């Protein structure tokens, strides 16, 4: 009920629930006390299909008892657990609390497994077969959905097996990325660059920085307009890992390659978000996962 913006909805749900239970009680009482004038043959006089008669028999006792048990159970459940709006229940149970308790139980169970890894650096862990196996499983469960099971990524999802890193590829930077997540924002730059032709000229200049096929005349015209982009990517186009600005002089194209892809990037910008993993993984797990991710683009000592 934490999503409710005011107490009205809490009271509404609580009232609706309570009214439903009371209605069941009333229905049970009416069915048990209402008498129907029956014929001599104990029928109500209702006949279907010519010979199907409705008998005037009382409800089976087992059915009545089940109805009573259902009502009692509902009231007891509502008293013990959160069922009536914002009322938390006498036991103070919540699905969030149960989840946290189960996570804590699991963390305590696996703590001895990670104990020997805490004093080792990510570079050292990258040479440990057991640590890499655990890191790979953590990666598959938490990272592969975006970066792929082979960690090679896809369009707009970075390849973790090469040497190109937006925010830095050393263990400290990788650990920060995993722990805190990243929000890579490139604002739409078309207005700052100029008109549509200016945007296209800048696109050709950007392509020229990496030796990609381009129109040299347009590239020359776009160089002066690139100043609007240099604040993040640098005048040399080599990027800035502090702010996650990509290196435009290599052959790694996260959001697509070619003139149209660059024009689209300059015109529309990007807003890529990687969620923080610290909400799901503890510090020891992130430490091992860091070593695994670092090992994907490096050549650690032979695993033991």
């Amino acid at each position: 009920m934490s999503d409710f913006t005011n107490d009205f909805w809490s009271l509404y749900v609580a009232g609706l629930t309570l009214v439903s239970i009371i209605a069941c009680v009333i229905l049970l009482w009416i069915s048990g006390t209402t008498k129907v004038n029956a014929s001599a043959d104990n029928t109500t006089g209702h006949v279907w299909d010519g010979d199907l008669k409705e008998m005037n028999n009382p409800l089976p006792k087992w059915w009545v008892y089940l109805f009573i048990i259902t009502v009692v159970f509902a009231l007891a459940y509502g008293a013990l657990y959160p069922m009536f709006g914002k009322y938390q229940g006498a036991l103070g149970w919540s699905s969030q609390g149960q989840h946290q308790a189960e996570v804590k139980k699991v963390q305590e169970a696996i703590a001895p497994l990670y104990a020997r890894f805490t004093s080792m650096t990510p570079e050292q862990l990258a040479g440990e077969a057991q640590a890499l196996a655990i890191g790979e499983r953590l990666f598959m469960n938490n990272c592969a959905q975006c970066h792929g099971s082979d960690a090679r990524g896809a369009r707009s999802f970075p390849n973790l097996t090469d040497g190109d890193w937006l925010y830095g590829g050393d263990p400290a930077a990788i650990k920060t990325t995993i722990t805190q997540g990243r929000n890579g924002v490139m604002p739409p730059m078309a207005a700052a660059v100029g008109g549509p032709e200016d945007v296209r000229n800048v696109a050709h200049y950007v392509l020229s920085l990496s030796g990609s096929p381009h129109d040299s005349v347009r590239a020359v015209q776009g160089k002066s307009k690139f100043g609007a982009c240099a604040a993040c990517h640098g005048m040399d186009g080599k990027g800035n890992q502090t702010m996650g600005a990509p290196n435009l002089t290599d052959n790694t194209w996260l959001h697509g390659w070619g003139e149209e892809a660059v024009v689209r990037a300059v015109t529309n910008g990007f807003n890529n978000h990687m969620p923080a993993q610290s909400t799901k993984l503890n510090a020891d797990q992130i430490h091992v996962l860091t070593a695994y991710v670092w090992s994907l683009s490096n050549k650690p000592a032979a695993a033991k």
Side-chain angles (χ1 to χ4, degrees), residues 186-191 199 262-269:
M186 172 180 166
M189 297 298 294
V199 171
V262 179
V263 168
R264 186 167 54 250
V266 175
T267 303
N268 302 326

Side-chain angles (χ1 to χ4, degrees), residues 43-66:
T43 62
T44 63
H46 297 155
V47 181
W48 293 269
D49 297 332
D51 59 355
L52 185 59
K53 298 180 179 181
E54 179 183 15
M55 304 300 293
N56 186 32
N57 294 325
L59 295 174
K61 289 189 179 298
W62 63 267
W63 189 92
V64 175
Y65 293 151
L66 285 178

